Amino acid sequence: MAANSRCSAAEPPDLETQRREVEYLLRDCELRAGDSWFMVDQRWYEQWKELVESGDQNSSCPGQIDNTELFEEVCSNHLKERLVENEDFVLVPAAAWHKLLSWYGMVDQQPPLERKVVDLPSTLKVEVYPVEIFLCLHGNMENVTTAQFSRTDSIHSIQMAMCRAFSLLPTCECRLWMKSSENNCERLRNVHMSVLDACLSSGMTVIMETRNADGTWPSTRPLILRNSVEEQDSYRGQPGVCGLTNLGNTCFMNSALQCLSNTPPLTEYFLQSIYLEELNFSNPLGMKGEIAEAYADVIKQMWSGHHYSVVPRVFKTKVGHFASQFLGYQQHDSQELLSFLLDGLHEDLNRVKNKEYIELRDAEGRPDQEVAEEAWRNHKRRNDSVIVDTFHGLFKSTLICPQCHKVSVTFDPFCYLSIPLPVSKERVMEVFFISLDPYAKPMQHRVLVPKAGKVLDLCLALSEMTQVPETQMVVADVFKHRFYKIYTPDESLSCILDRDDIFVYECSAQSDQQVLLALYLRERAHYREYGSVSTTLFGHPLLLSVPRSSCSPEALYQIFLQRLARYVRAPNPSGELEEDDDDDDEEELYKSQTNGISDDDEQDDAEPTCSSQSEACYADGPANSRHQDPIAPSEVHIRPPPPEEGDVHSMCTGAPKPLCSGDAGPSDGHVHARGEESRADVDEEGNDEAENEEEPPQSDAIAEDDGKQEEACSPSSPVNERAAKTRTCRRKKRLFDIQAVNCNGLERETGPNLTLSSQPYVALDWDAEIKKRFYNENEAEKYVKHSSMDVPLQQTTVQLQECIQLFTTVETLEEENPWYCPVCKKHQLATKKLDLWSLPEVLIIHLKRFSYTKFTREKLDTIVDFPLRNLDFSGCLLRKKLSNGEPPSRYDLIAVSNHYGGLRDGHYTSYACNKDNGQWYYFDDSKVTYATEEQIMTNAAYVLFYHRQDKMRKPCVAAPSPSSAICTTSSTSTASSMQPPEADVSAVTPSCASAFAELTMETD
């Protein structure tokens, strides 16, 4: 148009024709948003109007269109302020302007004053004064240019104008920032938004920044934690071979990102910046394009070849903003993050801007092909993105009512397959059996029990090996020299974890005349300068059935001494341990001072060595009791307690009065989930109680009259006679004192009439010197292994095809998820069968290793034998007719997300094949090493990524040779301890990667 304005005007028609045509255009033209109107100087227009209305050819001709009076300066082309329509200028529609321009031409060097019609709130108006904006580049803020834009212009038009003004390629990747104040910049994210909607006004500055060669943006260049900026800029590595820094328990996110990064169609989509044209900012189900942009930034940095590792902090922040479950730095599941990310990317990149309502139809007897095509069309009408193109397939779901046999067939899209693993109904447990024979060492057994079984099933299995009746067995969990829990026969085995140290004690046949005592060993420490005594647990506890008739102090002492005979040397009767006055004073000090665990108990108490994880084990048989100061035989004799107290056996086994109640430990409902932390809590709580409780005289432990302290030289002697004998004869000193304690082995419960029947926990308190002389620690730790321990554990292996077949088997819906039958008009527990109809280009297979049922929670360490090449689905794919003739059923593996650890903690890594060179790599947060195909299949494989063979392309560069094998690593990894020593180098060969097959994974 500017060219036309400088050309000579054509011969105009007669004046009447000019008047009629222009009047017609002015009369019939309405304001429409986006239309162009032109400003014409009022004086020139009035002169032309006078000419055509008079019809006199000899009248003064207005000449070329001249808008000089509308500009502030002739050369500035800048409009004067506060111009008034129909006084200073008139507005004519574009069609009328073009006629006037063709008839009269325009003064040279004057631009046409084109103005847009803008749709302002409640009105349409021609925009006389456009928005005048200052433009500059991020790297050169001093070079500022000015441009005018209509309020209806898009942000993209500003971007193109800036590319022209600063000589940048229109295809360069850039982003714009609106500087609304001195210290405030806002990202102009949606380039399709208008200037009016973006709230741009005159006087504002728009800053353009272009992406760096390393994939970062100048305004948000991340801190380089290991290398300097110069080193990073000089680094040139294989694109895609880049670690991700662990920000704190973010290995799950890094593993999922590495797998998606090595998915060729999705990565190329972002590297080619196709996503910029498909960002959906209006989708209410999306994240306003922020997740897609954050993911694109990570991918472009990883594939720039300029980074050893990338810090995905911005991406982590965006994920936490839109999915609150990922806020903070707790451990999460990589598959859950993957599911959220794929859904978020789909909604951010959905090409469907306005989703229409579609009513789903049942098959109603129609052919499967017809119903499937209809379902896929309906799905694409609401969901159309690169995620759908790449990852979505189609299920066939068949439901059959068990009552009316109504068959309902629907076809549903899926993004990944979550396939179950065959779950064994049995488990292997390792336990230690403690015989009644005091000279028999503990024996470690390996037994096979039902997963959903009871403790009784464990006893039955062990009974077959030991020939000991299961009724004479008591099962206990030992932790830090004390009983963490004593189980009843009807408790579930799911409460027992594989890492627990389980002891099974042989006890005498239980009856009303027997009391079951739990026996702890404690070492006394005397602090004369402070006048106090503390105790520390040692050794391993025992369970011992004691006849109620043998509960006198002397009888209990002899029973305990006999039970410990294998590793406790009895003093000779010649007076090896005669008690003197000093000992009496020391004993009185002990009786009157605090009874508790010493401050360094946490450091000194190690876990029992007699465990499934240890080499050396504590040894000795079952038996446990406690000893009190001598009292009258009638008082020492233990009678059955009142019904409300419960008997001793019930207290020791958890019902009806739990063994560990209150401070003693967690309830039964939580035992299966407790770990080292919960056990430590028990220790700490017990310590607090012990330190704050002052120990009463020892004789209070058993019922006495008014706190009298008397010695019993003979169980049958009267009280007065016994007291007289005590004052006239020297007594023999015992190896240990017997003290009543709680289930933690700490403070002693007190009461006016406390008996053994109400407190089944006792401790044998040893002086350090006596313990050193008579207690053989080496012998106490010895144990033997049963022949069952010599049988190697067989690692269960299943084929991936078996898991897929299990996925497609018929199942009955659970009561919590019934199906509403349209014929029966009620919810039914229908049978359901899923079949695969069509498969996507990239197939994600999630192995359901975490098994949750009503009774058990476990992680399945089954090895799944999955092929690296030629995974064939032709046998389980229902869709036989191919629309394009290509084979859609063969896939090759491209990535694996691994999980090492258990239910509560673990570590995620990944294997992935680089799309450019075809080499496999092992990604462990910021560390990247070469991997061989033999390493990939492990029992840690959790999520598998398969690429359809007909869509795969050959590597464009040669695979690196062993001599040039370079490992990228960063010292910022929070999981550096996960790697063996061979991995912490800068150059490794593929042979070195074999060391990773035996990684010992820890929590982050």
Side-chain angles (χ1 to χ4, degrees):
M1 183 174 298
N4 291 338
S5 67
R6 289 190 293 269
C7 297
S8 299
E11 184 66 26
D14 60 84
L15 298 179
E16 179 61 24
T17 302
Q18 293 183 41
R19 182 189 63 80
R20 187 171 59 250
E21 289 183 3
V22 172
E23 284 185 355
Y24 172 77
L25 293 173
L26 290 175
R27 183 175 62 251
D28 292 347
C29 189
E30 297 180 356
L31 293 179
R32 289 191 298 268
D35 285 355
S36 294
W37 286 63
F38 288 82
M39 297 176 62
V40 179
D41 180 75
Q42 175 73 22
R43 189 176 61 176
W44 185 94
Y45 183 77
E46 290 294 337
Q47 194 173 0
W48 170 83
K49 187 177 180 181
E50 181 181 351
L51 173 65
V52 296
E53 287 179 352
S54 66
D56 185 2
Q57 294 284 356
N58 296 323
S59 297
S60 174
C61 178
Q64 292 179 320
I65 301 174
D66 187 2
N67 291 329
T68 303
E69 295 298 325
L70 301 180
F71 297 108
E72 287 184 348
E73 297 179 3
V74 177
C75 59
S76 68
N77 295 329
H78 192 274
L79 284 181
K80 294 179 180 179
E81 295 182 2
R82 291 184 288 276
L83 295 175
V84 179
E85 185 179 2
N86 296 326
E87 290 185 9
D88 300 310
F89 65 90
V90 294
L91 291 170
V92 296
W97 164 260
H98 291 309
K99 287 186 177 294
L100 292 174
L101 185 64
S102 64
W103 296 336
Y104 297 96
M106 194 169 184
V107 174
D108 291 340
Q109 306 303 321
Q110 275 193 12
L113 297 179
E114 181 181 6
R115 296 296 183 261
K116 297 286 187 180
V117 178
V118 294
D119 187 2
L120 299 177
S122 72
T123 184
L124 288 172
K125 182 179 180 181
V126 176
E127 183 184 45
V128 175
Y129 289 98
V131 177
E132 188 171 287
I133 302 174
F134 300 105
L135 310 176
C136 64
L137 293 177
H138 181 273
N140 187 8
M141 303 284 284
E142 303 299 326
N143 183 19
V144 180
T145 185
T146 305
Q148 292 182 344
F149 299 94
S150 169
R151 289 173 177 79
T152 60
D153 287 340
S154 66
I155 302 300
H156 183 262
S157 64
I158 299 179
Q159 180 176 315
M160 292 296 100
M162 295 185 73
C163 288
R164 292 191 298 269
F166 298 110
S167 303
L168 299 176
L169 293 176
T171 57
C172 72
E173 189 173 357
C174 58
R175 59 184 187 181
L176 305 181
W177 297 84
M178 175 179 65
K179 186 177 181 181
S180 55
S181 64
E182 188 65 28
N183 299 316
N184 184 29
C185 285
E186 181 180 345
R187 169 86 185 280
L188 296 173
R189 192 178 302 276
N190 187 357
V191 296
H192 303 291
M193 183 181 292
S194 67
V195 171
L196 177 64
D197 293 336
C199 299
L200 274 170
S201 58
S202 295
M204 287 187 175
T205 301
V206 174
I207 305 170
M208 172 186 281
E209 62 172 341
T210 57
R211 191 186 290 274
N212 298 322
D214 64 354
T216 61
W217 294 101
S219 60
T220 57
R221 187 183 182 98
L223 295 176
I224 308 304
L225 300 181
R226 178 186 177 187
N227 308 92
S228 66
V229 175
E230 293 75 12
E231 288 174 335
Q232 283 282 330
D233 290 341
S234 62
Y235 172 74
R236 294 295 182 270
Q238 173 64 42
V241 184
C242 177
L244 291 170
T245 299
N246 193 316
L247 305 175
N249 282 332
T250 58
C251 58
F252 72 96
M253 181 183 75
N254 295 345
S255 177
L257 285 176
Q258 291 289 5
C259 291
L260 282 180
S261 170
N262 287 278
T263 301
L266 184 64
T267 296
E268 291 174 358
Y269 171 86
F270 281 96
L271 292 180
Q272 297 171 10
S273 299
I274 302 174
Y275 75 98
L276 292 174
E277 299 299 323
E278 298 184 349
L279 286 171
N280 190 333
F281 299 98
S282 60
N283 187 355
L285 300 179
M287 290 78 174
K288 311 302 180 186
E290 293 187 37
I291 287 293
E293 289 188 329
Y295 177 77
D297 287 346
V298 173
I299 292 299
K300 294 204 173 189
Q301 292 177 49
M302 294 174 65
W303 287 85
S304 67
H306 290 262
H307 297 286
Y308 297 107
S309 66
V310 170
V311 183
R313 193 177 305 278
V314 174
F315 178 81
K316 169 69 171 62
T317 303
K318 295 293 183 183
V319 169
H321 176 72
F322 291 105
S324 58
Q325 66 268 29
F326 296 113
L327 276 173
Y329 297 94
Q330 302 300 317
Q331 298 188 41
H332 294 284
D333 188 284
S334 67
Q335 189 272 334
E336 292 180 2
L337 185 278
L338 186 66
S339 176
F340 162 77
L341 181 55
L342 289 175
D343 183 66
L345 290 176
H346 160 65
E347 297 297 351
D348 272 0
L349 300 169
N350 198 346
R351 304 178 186 109
V352 179
K353 307 303 180 183
N354 298 305
K355 295 186 177 183
E356 57 181 312
Y357 173 76
I358 299 174
E359 185 175 355
L360 300 179
R361 295 175 55 195
D362 196 82
E364 299 175 349
R366 292 180 294 164
D368 284 351
Q369 184 73 26
E370 177 184 343
V371 180
E373 290 177 356
E374 177 186 77
W376 187 250
R377 284 195 307 271
N378 290 340
H379 180 59
K380 292 280 286 185
R381 285 165 63 185
R382 291 175 55 86
N383 304 278
D384 184 16
S385 69
V386 64
I387 303 300
V388 175
D389 300 340
T390 307
F391 297 100
H392 282 206
L394 208 59
F395 280 141
K396 177 186 177 183
S397 176
T398 305
L399 289 165
I400 302 178
C401 178
Q403 185 170 337
C404 67
H405 303 292
K406 158 72 177 176
V407 179
S408 174
V409 177
T410 58
F411 287 82
D412 304 307
F414 68 88
C415 190
Y416 51 85
L417 296 180
S418 289
I419 63 176
L421 303 184
V423 180
S424 173
K425 296 183 179 180
E426 297 177 323
R427 63 180 288 196
V428 175
M429 296 185 64
E430 294 182 2
V431 299
F432 291 93
F433 178 71
I434 312 297
S435 172
L436 266 179
D437 182 0
Y439 294 96
K441 295 182 179 68
M443 182 171 290
Q444 188 179 21
H445 292 260
R446 185 177 286 160
V447 295
L448 191 65
V449 296
K451 275 188 177 178
K454 305 291 185 183
V455 172
L456 179 60
D457 296 313
L458 171 61
C459 296
L460 288 171
L462 193 59
S463 177
E464 296 180 2
M465 295 183 177
T466 61
Q467 306 305 315
V468 174
E470 68 279 359
T471 56
Q472 294 180 221
M473 294 183 181
V474 179
V475 180
D477 182 354
V478 175
F479 177 73
K480 286 195 173 182
H481 316 292
R482 68 193 61 161
F483 291 115
Y484 185 79
K485 183 174 178 60
I486 300 177
Y487 296 95
T488 58
D490 59 344
E491 286 191 77
S492 174
L493 287 175
S494 62
C495 297
I496 302 177
L497 304 181
D498 290 337
R499 65 188 180 191
D500 293 342
D501 295 325
I502 303 301
F503 287 72
V504 181
Y505 297 88
E506 180 187 1
C507 298
S508 303
Q510 297 296 308
S511 67
D512 293 339
Q513 300 305 315
Q514 299 280 334
V515 57
L516 184 67
L517 299 181
L519 183 66
Y520 294 149
L521 302 177
R522 302 194 303 182
E523 181 177 345
R524 277 198 299 251
H526 300 273
Y527 302 97
R528 292 185 179 274
E529 60 273 21
Y530 300 109
S532 63
V533 178
S534 66
T535 59
T536 302
L537 289 169
F538 70 94
H540 296 274
L542 294 172
L543 286 175
L544 181 65
S545 291
V546 178
R548 294 182 183 272
S549 60
S550 302
C551 286
S552 67
E554 189 66 32
L556 289 176
Y557 177 81
Q558 295 300 328
I559 291 174
F560 296 160
L561 192 61
Q562 181 183 3
R563 188 66 190 87
L564 304 174
R566 183 171 63 86
Y567 47 89
V568 173
R569 180 175 64 84
N572 60 53
S574 63
E576 186 177 1
L577 276 180
E578 283 191 352
E579 191 172 48
D580 53 22
D581 294 339
D582 292 339
D583 294 332
D584 291 339
D585 295 339
E586 189 174 290
E587 183 177 348
E588 289 301 322
L589 173 65
Y590 169 66
K591 289 178 181 179
S592 61
Q593 298 301 326
T594 301
N595 172 26
I597 298 296
S598 62
D599 293 337
D600 57 352
D601 177 57
E602 292 299 327
Q603 289 77 18
D604 295 340
D605 286 0
E607 291 210 22
T609 55
C610 185
S611 65
S612 56
Q613 295 85 10
S614 60
E615 293 298 331
C617 172
Y618 142 91
D620 59 273
N624 221 333
S625 181
R626 72 161 175 190
H627 172 64
Q628 309 298 336
D629 282 352
I631 58 176
S634 61
E635 295 171 323
V636 173
H637 183 73
I638 300 175
R639 297 176 297 278
E644 63 271 38
E645 290 181 344
D647 60 16
V648 174
H649 181 74
S650 297
M651 294 178 66
C652 293
T653 53
K657 187 174 181 180
L659 172 70
C660 298
S661 61
D663 63 349
S667 62
D668 293 349
H670 298 284
V671 170
H672 68 281
R674 64 93 175 87
E676 302 300 322
E677 300 83 356
S678 60
R679 293 183 169 190
D681 294 340
V682 174
D683 295 346
E684 294 171 3
E685 186 175 350
N687 282 334
D688 294 339
E689 295 174 356
E691 291 171 1
N692 295 327
E693 180 175 331
E694 186 167 325
E695 181 183 334
Q698 186 175 352
S699 58
D700 287 347
I702 301 179
E704 290 190 24
D705 291 335
D706 301 326
K708 295 179 181 178
Q709 298 187 359
E710 301 172 336
E711 291 291 338
C713 296
S714 170
S716 60
S717 61
V719 174
N720 295 337
E721 180 182 351
R722 181 182 58 202
K725 288 183 178 181
T726 301
R727 288 189 290 266
T728 60
C729 65
R730 294 179 67 87
R731 57 189 175 132
K732 297 292 178 64
K733 184 175 181 180
R734 293 172 177 170
L735 295 179
F736 46 79
D737 294 317
I738 303 174
Q739 187 74 18
V741 295
N742 73 346
C743 64
N744 286 327
L746 304 177
E747 79 282 354
R748 181 180 61 178
E749 292 188 6
T750 61
N753 295 303
L754 188 63
T755 66
L756 288 179
S757 60
S758 63
Q759 174 54 274
Y761 291 89
V762 296
L764 307 186
D765 289 342
W766 296 68
D767 286 332
E769 188 62 30
I770 295 178
K771 174 176 174 286
K772 184 177 180 180
R773 293 170 55 191
F774 294 94
Y775 185 87
N776 189 336
E777 292 189 12
N778 291 334
E779 182 63 29
E781 297 297 322
K782 292 181 180 178
Y783 74 102
V784 294
K785 290 187 177 182
H786 186 263
S787 57
S788 59
M789 297 296 297
D790 297 330
V791 180
L793 291 175
Q794 298 294 327
Q795 180 70 53
T796 306
T797 302
V798 299
Q799 300 293 322
L800 180 61
Q801 287 80 355
E802 296 178 32
C803 301
I804 296 174
Q805 291 175 3
L806 187 62
F807 173 77
T808 58
T809 56
V810 179
E811 62 177 356
T812 302
L813 297 179
E814 297 179 351
E815 295 182 359
E816 296 81 6
N817 186 30
W819 170 67
Y820 183 80
C821 177
V823 177
C824 300
K825 304 297 182 182
K826 64 179 181 179
H827 289 89
Q828 299 281 11
L829 300 181
T831 59
K832 181 179 181 179
K833 188 178 189 302
L834 290 177
D835 292 292
L836 301 176
W837 178 261
S838 63
L839 298 177
E841 177 181 348
V842 176
L843 178 63
I844 302 176
I845 300 178
H846 167 222
L847 304 177
K848 298 172 71 174
R849 291 197 176 275
F850 298 100
S851 174
Y852 300 95
T853 67
K854 293 180 180 179
F855 310 102
T856 61
R857 297 170 66 250
E858 62 177 332
K859 184 198 173 187
L860 306 176
D861 290 324
T862 305
I863 293 180
V864 179
D865 187 357
F866 51 88
L868 271 64
R869 297 181 183 83
N870 298 319
L871 175 60
D872 192 356
F873 282 90
S874 58
C876 54
L877 195 64
L878 289 184
R879 180 184 177 188
K880 303 300 181 183
K881 182 180 178 181
L882 304 179
S883 58
N884 50 10
E886 60 189 22
S889 59
R890 290 187 179 272
Y891 288 80
D892 287 350
L893 187 72
I894 57 173
V896 180
S897 175
N898 303 308
H899 177 266
Y900 298 88
L903 283 172
R904 300 184 61 194
D905 49 33
H907 183 65
Y908 287 92
T909 65
S910 57
Y911 289 104
C913 181
N914 187 275
K915 68 182 181 66
D916 291 338
N917 62 13
Q919 171 67 45
W920 281 91
Y921 295 90
Y922 180 71
F923 298 90
D924 184 1
D925 289 334
S926 58
K927 292 189 176 182
V928 184
T929 55
Y930 284 90
T932 61
E933 294 185 352
E934 291 75 18
Q935 297 173 247
I936 297 172
M937 190 181 70
T938 67
N939 63 349
Y942 184 45
V943 183
L944 311 177
F945 285 68
Y946 279 94
H947 198 181
R948 206 167 67 198
Q949 287 182 347
D950 62 291
K951 293 292 186 179
M952 298 184 70
R953 61 177 178 83
K954 294 182 178 180
C956 57
V957 297
S961 61
S963 60
S964 63
I966 299 297
C967 153
T968 68
T969 180
S970 172
S971 60
T972 60
S973 173
T974 60
S976 59
S977 61
M978 307 301 301
Q979 296 289 352
E982 292 84 351
D984 198 13
V985 294
S986 59
V988 291
T989 61
S991 62
C992 294
S994 61
F996 292 94
E998 301 178 358
L999 285 175
T1000 301
M1001 293 301 174
E1002 305 170 354
T1003 184
D1004 287 328

